[in-house]
Amino acid sequence: MGAVQIQAQDICVGNIVWLRENDEVPCDLVLVGTSDPQGICYVETAALDGETDLKTRVIASACMGLSPELLHKIKGAIECPNPDKDIRRFDANLRLFPPFIDNDLCPLTINNTLLQSCYLRNTEWACGVAVYTGNETKLGMTRGIPEPKLTAVDAMIDKLTGAIFLFQIVVVIVLGIAGNVWKDTEAQKLWYVLYPKEGPWYELLVIPLRFELLCSIMIPISIKVSLDLVKSLYAKFIDWDDEMYDHDTNTPSHAANTAISEDLGQVEYILTDKTGTLTENRMIFRRCCINGTFYGNESGDALKDMELLNAIGSKRPDVIRFLTVMAVCNTVIPLRSQNGTICYKAQSQDEDALVHAAAHLHMVLFNKNGNTLEVNFNASVLQYEILDTLEFTSDRKRMSVVVRDCQNQSIILLTKGADEAILPNASSGQQIRTYVEAVEQYSQLGLRTLCLAWRELNEDEYREWSLLFKEANSTLVDREWKLAEVCQRLENDLEILGITAIEDRLQDGVPETIETLRKAGINFWMLTGDKQNTAIQIALSCNFISPEPKGQLLLINGKNEDEVSRSLERVLCTMRITSSEPKDVAFVIDGWALEIALKHHQKKFTELATLSRTAICCRVTPSQKAQLVELLKSREYRTLAIGDGGNDVRMIQQADIGVGISGREGLQAARAADYSIGKFKFLKRLILVHGRYSYNRTAFLSQYSFYKSLLICFIQIFFSFISGVSGTSLFNSVSLMAYNVFYTSVPVLVSILDKDLSERTVMQHPQILFYCQTGRLLNPSTFAGWFGRSLFHALIVFLISINVYNDERSEKEELSMVALSGCIWLQAFVMVVETNSFTVLQHLAIWGNLAAFYVINCIISTLPSAGMYTIMFRLCRQPSYWITMFLIVAAGMGPVVAVKYFRYTYRSSAINKLQQAERLGGPIVSLGNVEPQLKSMEKDVALLSISQPNSRNPVYEPLLSDSLTSSRRSLGPATPFDFFPTQSRLSSTYSRNCSDKMETMEADEVSVAMDKLQSQNEIL
């Protein structure tokens, strides 16, 4: 053909690109020629949207009939919009220059394009004009840098860092002033201090700058590196989890975002799609209603209904028309295999189910060649010419085709879509009550319904409409809106043929997963495009809501602002009354009412959202899903969105955590999400195990990093009090560098293997996720505990070291090494006390790191130039050195262990009691038996909600405390730290969530149960 092979980077806009079968499309092309006489080709778009089914692309109508030789000489102009990332839309016009065609405009859509990274399949060759290249292709536009997500833990660490920075500035100023005062007063009395009596003014800055250098290690610079490292390992734990591997589809779990694992443990709202997420997205045609007659009601399978089969055998016209719409009104591609069987490639699972059902009922779609479509019905071939396709959109909620029946040359409009989009457009003389009842009946069974209709057109009507359609199809501005307006002119006065009912089964484990996560205090919202009744039935079957009398559904409906306002107010009043009752209350709202509520009554709807545990939003669009996520995020709730299709991408990206299911709708959701899983049931393990462990470990690691930096810094400050407040460093630079890099980093990094409870216990008692949701392990109160611990340990190390080595024979380097050794020993035992489950690796890290400290310093002590020559050898030979280490550990860890033992024994939390049950080896008691204080917690929550009606209640925890009431007892019911806004606040509905699933027990009954457990263990 005379083509030249070049690199993709050398393609310029306007070049004609030739592709061979199985070639990858190098840029975005407008298709102008193919090897198929009808001008079609097949492309695989899996790399673009994850959908493995082949899609058809057709050349522009202006290029029909052009030979390959003429394609080399083609000239024209393409008017196209600016580059964007919408892979489902391309509104452009093609104008060929003479002599190829007159100067008429030819509209172009996405069906006339080949997008970058697609593959040409089942087509010998194709050629197109490059319209977008490089980073301006639709795929290139989607490669933008994603907006970073800040976790609640990261936000709290930033605030704590700011507080430490302010503390550091205060310390520097105070000590700097004190140092200058001492220099001008006391230093002048000491003959050996060679301070000049007078000096320039800037000497006043010398001592404060020294203290700034000493205190610069208060904020651990390595904390971000350490957190990034451990978070990457958290993500790998998810990737390596065999229990989250889907063997049916060979799909492993995958963490695409390595920075937000701890947020999984703080999820408060889950917003989920229905089709393909809760259900299998395997559509099966079950029932239908044709011309008022119900088929499949008795057997549950219309395909085996003898009455329907007899109607087909007798060629009843209404049944034949119904089957014709099923077989023809779609975008399905029939492909014939080598053995002669026909398989269908469908972009929609609903269309696939309808076409297969029609084929089973002898209306077989077997050929689609360009604009010609052939159907085999009872051994006779019916041929149709496709004149126009009125594509489905989420706003129109229907799809139509205009065909010419080649048998009698009549023009017919075939339509299928949602009942609310079809039934209002029925002809005035037709009774539709039966169809409305059919929709209600099928919806009550949880079946997906579609309404089928048709209309016969005359030539003049079609010709007039076709001109308007062509004009709307050629516009570059608001093309979709103008097309919808033109389509509405034709899609009216329809003859309703019947209703189809398609079953979409629930995935395995969905009810159990939702029930477990609801016990964990997580609220669920279902956002679906299905009908209200269908969504309600699915919600009931998967434990989304409870049936009466335990559960109650409140409907919000209306077609205008007044109706929606009254309905919303009524539901709000009911919700306020029942908020104090242990009743599962949920509200249901459709897309139309939701649009009005979000636009005109957002404050009321927001209040309703915070009061309700469960919501079902029906007939919602992708943009409305994203709006609801943003609404909950604006109230500072941690949200998780989960879906499986391209219409869920906006919701997934908007949420704090996005989870995509690698489903039958492709990989768009999975690729856009932070985490991808094979089935919904794996969400339980993702949150309860990986999320909870990640939060616990990150909370400990971050606070421990501050602790070890503050410890060494406080020792420096104490040393300044006996060194003339001069800012002199007790430790040399080598020791300070090695302290953070070698001596203290390894043990804390191995803490990522720590588990406070076994995975089995965590899955059995999801209520303990409460501690993570409310930020109980990382907040100003817990940080104050670590701050106090570092100050106490620094005081112990300094006082013992300075008193033991205060004689004249001791060198400053010896005192420095003794103090440093005391810090290392203390931190080793802190790791031992704070570790819940030991492995060989953890023992090796803690004690091996301690041994490495002595090995490294012994090596350094052999170097005369290191400033520590023979220091470590001399110290290790002194019994006083080892006695000092024993005294430091005993004095430093004794009070910590005592307080921990007291709280573990006498004020133990649910986690403590579960740990004790695990260690005793007895049966693990239920959380209802180990959390009797939940009743008192409910009273506290009720009191706090009076003073804070629009926010959730702050919960802080003091040092070493896990009890539910200890934080309020120490801080008071309404005294949060003003400097720190609430990081993760307890929902006022949480206690109601827990009380639905727990039975509390008196304190004496708990002690009896634990005594029995302990006695059984002693007997064993």
Side-chain angles (χ1 to χ4, degrees):
M1 295 182 183
V4 178
Q5 187 170 358
I6 63 173
Q7 297 292 324
Q9 64 184 11
D10 298 325
I11 298 175
C12 299
V13 173
N15 289 158
I16 296 180
V17 181
W18 295 78
L19 302 172
R20 302 184 187 279
E21 186 175 3
N22 297 325
D23 278 353
E24 182 180 358
V25 182
C27 60
D28 290 351
L29 305 173
V30 169
L31 195 62
V32 295
T34 72
S35 58
D36 187 90
Q38 301 297 324
I40 64 173
C41 69
Y42 300 96
V43 293
E44 179 186 297
T45 62
L48 193 65
D49 56 16
E51 298 178 8
T52 56
D53 293 331
L54 296 183
K55 298 180 177 63
T56 55
R57 294 294 183 260
V58 61
I59 67 175
S61 58
C63 301
M64 285 289 185
L66 294 181
S67 64
E69 291 76 17
L70 290 176
L71 289 174
H72 283 284
K73 305 175 184 178
I74 191 171
K75 293 183 179 181
I78 298 176
E79 302 171 0
C80 56
N82 291 328
D84 59 55
K85 58 185 178 181
D86 190 349
I87 63 174
R88 285 182 164 78
R89 186 172 180 177
F90 180 70
D91 299 335
N93 291 321
L94 170 66
R95 188 192 306 270
L96 292 183
F97 297 156
F100 297 98
I101 197 172
D102 292 337
N103 245 350
D104 290 342
L105 280 178
C106 173
L108 301 174
T109 68
I110 197 68
N111 291 326
N112 304 122
T113 64
L114 300 178
L115 300 184
Q116 184 186 30
S117 293
C118 296
Y119 286 85
L120 187 67
R121 304 294 191 199
N122 299 343
T123 307
E124 185 180 348
W125 60 266
C127 73
V129 180
V131 287
Y132 302 128
T133 61
N135 290 328
E136 292 185 345
T137 63
K138 291 186 178 292
L139 181 63
M141 296 294 287
T142 63
R143 295 192 187 117
I145 301 175
E147 183 180 349
K149 295 183 177 182
L150 184 68
T151 66
V153 170
D154 286 337
M156 178 55 65
I157 290 174
D158 291 343
K159 294 167 186 173
L160 296 174
T161 303
I164 292 296
F165 178 74
L166 294 178
F167 175 74
Q168 176 183 327
I169 296 298
V170 171
V171 169
V172 169
I173 293 174
V174 171
L175 294 180
I177 294 174
N180 282 312
V181 170
W182 189 90
K183 182 182 72 171
D184 294 336
T185 56
E186 298 298 323
Q188 303 300 326
K189 303 175 184 178
L190 304 175
W191 61 269
Y192 54 84
V193 179
L194 302 179
Y195 279 128
K197 293 185 177 181
E198 293 184 0
W201 65 268
Y202 54 79
E203 283 194 2
L204 294 174
L205 303 177
V206 173
I207 294 179
L209 288 176
R210 287 178 184 172
F211 278 110
E212 174 60 30
L213 291 175
L214 288 182
C215 297
S216 62
I217 61 173
M218 271 192 183
I219 300 174
I221 305 301
S222 61
I223 186 172
K224 290 295 184 182
V225 178
S226 301
L227 287 176
D228 287 343
L229 178 60
V230 298
K231 288 180 180 182
S232 298
L233 291 175
Y234 297 156
K236 286 300 179 184
F237 291 159
I238 295 174
D239 294 346
W240 296 335
D241 194 339
D242 290 336
E243 295 190 37
M244 293 174 61
Y245 185 87
D246 184 14
H247 295 278
D248 296 337
T249 59
N250 293 323
T251 304
S253 57
H254 176 63
N257 191 335
T258 61
I260 61 173
S261 297
E262 64 271 21
D263 253 5
L264 286 168
Q266 296 190 284
V267 171
E268 295 165 288
Y269 276 85
I270 293 179
L271 299 95
T272 175
D273 178 40
K274 183 183 74 68
T275 304
T277 304
L278 301 177
T279 62
E280 293 181 347
N281 201 16
R282 297 179 183 271
M283 308 300 180
I284 303 174
F285 185 87
R286 286 301 186 192
R287 306 186 186 199
C288 62
C289 173
I290 305 175
N291 199 19
T293 304
F294 289 83
Y295 300 101
N297 279 11
E298 295 181 2
S299 62
D301 188 355
L303 301 181
K304 298 178 181 179
D305 193 307
M306 292 304 302
E307 186 179 355
L308 178 59
L309 296 176
N310 292 333
I312 295 172
S314 60
K315 297 183 178 180
R316 271 178 43 189
D318 55 342
V319 176
I320 302 303
R321 287 198 296 268
F322 185 86
L323 295 179
T324 301
V325 176
M326 289 175 60
V328 176
C329 185
N330 53 64
T331 58
V332 175
I333 303 169
L335 297 177
R336 191 177 295 274
S337 61
Q338 294 180 352
N339 58 10
T341 60
I342 297 174
C343 61
Y344 297 111
K345 296 292 184 181
Q347 300 180 30
S348 163
Q349 298 299 320
D350 292 280
E351 287 189 344
D352 185 72
L354 291 178
V355 173
H356 274 95
H360 193 277
L361 297 173
H362 311 295
M363 186 71 72
V364 183
L365 172 65
F366 70 93
N367 184 33
K368 185 178 284 188
N369 193 353
N371 291 331
T372 304
L373 181 146
E374 293 180 318
V375 177
N376 189 325
F377 177 66
N378 286 341
S380 62
V381 176
L382 306 177
Q383 195 174 65
Y384 297 92
E385 179 188 357
I386 300 177
L387 301 178
D388 291 294
T389 300
L390 287 60
E391 297 182 355
F392 173 87
T393 66
S394 58
D395 293 326
R396 294 179 59 243
K397 297 182 181 179
R398 58 183 178 270
M399 177 254 184
S400 303
V401 294
V402 181
V403 300
R404 185 186 298 275
D405 190 340
C406 297
Q407 284 68 240
N408 55 22
Q409 299 302 311
S410 62
I411 300 176
I412 310 169
L413 172 72
L414 308 179
T415 303
K416 75 171 188 297
D419 57 282
E420 72 267 22
I422 301 294
L423 295 180
N425 295 313
S427 58
S428 57
Q430 186 175 11
Q431 294 293 328
I432 62 172
R433 178 178 297 178
T434 305
Y435 299 117
V436 173
E437 293 174 355
V439 170
E440 292 296 323
Q441 177 182 326
Y442 295 148
S443 297
Q444 292 291 339
L445 297 173
L447 303 175
R448 297 164 59 90
T449 59
L450 281 175
C451 189
L452 276 53
W454 89 342
R455 178 187 170 202
E456 196 163 343
L457 309 174
N458 59 57
E459 287 283 352
D460 294 337
E461 181 186 9
Y462 171 70
R463 192 178 300 111
E464 180 183 353
W465 177 86
S466 182
L467 292 175
L468 296 174
F469 184 72
K470 183 178 181 181
E471 180 182 353
N473 216 8
S474 303
T475 185
L476 294 180
V477 180
D478 295 331
R479 176 182 291 186
E480 186 175 338
W481 180 81
K482 292 180 180 179
L483 279 174
E485 186 178 18
V486 172
C487 292
Q488 182 61 42
R489 295 193 176 194
L490 199 67
E491 293 171 329
N492 58 67
D493 201 23
L494 300 173
E495 179 185 350
I496 309 299
L497 300 177
I499 307 294
T500 64
I502 299 173
E503 180 187 33
D504 188 11
R505 295 176 180 173
L506 279 179
Q507 292 182 21
D508 293 337
V510 167
E512 295 80 4
T513 299
I514 292 177
E515 182 180 5
T516 300
L517 293 178
R518 281 167 63 86
K519 286 181 180 179
I522 297 177
N523 303 316
F524 273 87
W525 283 30
M526 180 193 290
L527 314 180
T528 177
D530 271 350
K531 278 188 62 63
Q532 187 179 94
N533 287 336
T534 303
I536 291 174
Q537 291 305 314
I538 293 296
L540 285 169
S541 61
C542 65
N543 291 333
F544 212 83
I545 52 178
S546 304
E548 293 286 353
K550 187 177 181 181
Q552 181 179 1
L553 278 178
L554 304 175
L555 302 181
I556 301 174
N557 46 38
K559 296 299 182 184
N560 55 55
E561 185 178 346
D562 291 337
E563 292 178 359
V564 173
S565 178
R566 288 194 298 269
S567 181
L568 190 60
E569 190 61 44
R570 172 180 52 81
V571 172
L572 258 179
C573 291
T574 306
M575 196 72 73
R576 290 167 185 150
I577 294 171
T578 58
S579 61
S580 59
E581 300 176 7
K583 193 167 186 178
D584 187 6
V585 183
F587 72 87
V588 183
I589 188 171
D590 62 18
W592 184 265
L594 179 62
E595 184 76 21
I596 297 174
L598 290 176
K599 186 175 181 180
H600 300 286
H601 308 286
Q602 187 170 8
K603 186 176 181 180
K604 291 181 180 179
F605 187 78
T606 303
E607 182 184 356
L608 178 63
T610 57
L611 287 175
S612 177
R613 290 190 60 190
T614 309
I616 301 173
C617 304
C618 315
R619 301 297 195 191
V620 292
T621 62
S623 61
Q624 287 177 325
K625 292 182 179 182
Q627 281 181 283
L628 291 172
V629 173
E630 181 60 32
L631 177 72
L632 292 173
K633 286 179 63 178
S634 68
R635 305 295 295 174
E636 299 183 10
Y637 290 107
R638 286 283 148 181
T639 59
L640 182 149
I642 180 170
D644 73 314
N647 61 335
D648 302 317
V649 169
R650 291 185 62 182
M651 170 180 72
I652 287 173
Q653 293 177 334
Q654 187 69 43
D656 293 306
I657 304 167
V659 179
I661 292 182
S662 304
R664 295 170 62 85
E665 290 189 21
L667 300 175
Q668 275 185 283
R671 287 177 174 171
D674 302 306
Y675 301 93
S676 62
I677 54 179
K679 282 188 171 62
F680 184 85
K681 65 181 180 181
F682 298 138
L683 187 63
K684 175 171 64 174
R685 182 172 177 83
L686 182 67
I687 292 176
L688 297 181
V689 176
H690 292 285
R692 184 178 177 276
Y693 284 159
S694 296
Y695 172 78
N696 289 353
R697 294 161 178 170
T698 303
F700 169 73
L701 186 148
S702 56
Q703 293 177 114
Y704 182 83
S705 297
F706 279 104
Y707 157 78
K708 64 187 181 69
S709 295
L710 288 168
L711 172 62
I712 203 78
C713 190
F714 281 140
I715 293 176
Q716 296 271 56
I717 293 173
F718 292 149
F719 180 71
S720 70
F721 295 150
I722 64 170
S723 60
V725 201
S726 59
T728 303
S729 176
L730 174 63
F731 306 102
N732 58 53
S733 58
V734 175
S735 297
L736 289 176
M737 180 191 69
Y739 176 78
N740 275 321
V741 177
F742 299 110
Y743 301 154
T744 60
S745 59
V746 176
V748 69
L749 290 179
V750 182
S751 66
I752 61 172
L753 302 176
D754 188 38
K755 297 179 179 180
D756 60 339
L757 293 169
S758 67
E759 295 178 6
R760 174 173 169 267
T761 303
V762 171
M763 298 287 275
Q764 285 181 346
H765 303 284
Q767 296 92 333
I768 58 177
L769 191 68
F770 162 81
Y771 294 93
C772 300
Q773 290 171 323
T774 52
R776 296 290 295 278
L777 302 183
L778 176 60
N779 51 61
S781 178
T782 58
F783 182 76
W786 282 97
F787 185 92
R789 183 187 293 189
S790 66
L791 182 62
F792 171 68
H793 283 172
L795 193 62
I796 292 294
V797 171
F798 178 75
L799 291 178
I800 293 179
S801 300
I802 202 68
N803 281 284
V804 173
Y805 287 84
N806 63 350
D807 54 27
E808 296 180 356
R809 292 176 299 174
S810 300
E811 301 178 12
K812 173 175 170 289
E813 287 74 13
E814 286 186 350
L815 176 63
S816 170
M817 185 54 63
V818 170
L820 185 63
S821 301
C823 292
I824 303 302
W825 276 92
L826 270 180
Q827 290 180 53
F829 279 90
V830 167
M831 286 297 301
V832 171
V833 170
E834 297 297 333
T835 300
N836 295 286
S837 59
F838 284 97
T839 63
V840 174
L841 192 60
Q842 285 166 300
H843 278 295
L844 185 63
I846 296 172
W847 307 117
N849 185 78
L850 188 61
F853 167 75
Y854 285 96
V855 172
I856 293 173
N857 280 281
C858 285
I859 294 174
I860 296 176
S861 296
T862 61
L863 305 175
S865 60
M868 297 172 52
Y869 189 57
T870 70
I871 293 293
M872 184 55 73
F873 296 109
R874 280 184 282 162
L875 286 176
C876 289
R877 288 195 297 266
Q878 299 173 5
S880 59
Y881 171 79
W882 299 108
I883 295 173
T884 302
M885 294 303 104
F886 174 78
L887 291 175
I888 288 174
V889 172
M893 296 306 300
V896 174
V897 173
V899 172
K900 197 174 185 71
Y901 175 80
F902 172 79
R903 285 182 171 165
Y904 186 84
T905 306
Y906 301 104
R907 292 181 59 187
S908 56
S909 67
I911 295 177
N912 297 147
K913 293 185 177 181
L914 290 174
Q915 288 173 334
Q916 187 176 359
E918 280 188 347
R919 289 166 184 169
L920 291 175
I924 299 178
V925 293
S926 69
L927 256 186
N929 296 339
V930 297
E931 199 64 276
Q933 61 266 47
L934 274 175
K935 287 183 178 178
S936 63
M937 183 194 73
E938 291 182 22
K939 298 178 181 177
D940 293 341
V941 170
L943 292 172
L944 284 172
S945 62
I946 296 174
S947 60
Q948 300 177 359
N950 294 324
S951 63
R952 292 163 290 163
N953 306 317
V955 179
Y956 301 124
E957 176 156 350
L959 175 65
L960 297 176
S961 171
D962 283 324
S963 70
L964 288 168
T965 56
S966 59
S967 59
R968 292 192 180 91
R969 194 172 291 122
S970 60
L971 293 176
T975 57
F977 285 66
D978 294 335
F979 181 80
F980 301 94
T982 303
Q983 170 230 3
S984 179
R985 296 173 292 178
L986 176 62
S987 171
S988 59
T989 60
Y990 185 85
S991 58
R992 193 167 76 252
N993 299 355
C994 296
S995 62
D996 290 347
K997 305 296 180 181
M998 299 182 188
E999 293 180 1
T1000 57
M1001 191 176 185
E1002 296 300 328
D1004 56 345
E1005 293 176 344
V1006 175
S1007 60
V1008 170
M1010 296 305 297
D1011 290 341
K1012 287 183 179 179
L1013 182 62
Q1014 198 164 1
S1015 61
Q1016 289 175 1
N1017 188 66
E1018 291 173 356
I1019 294 173
L1020 290 175

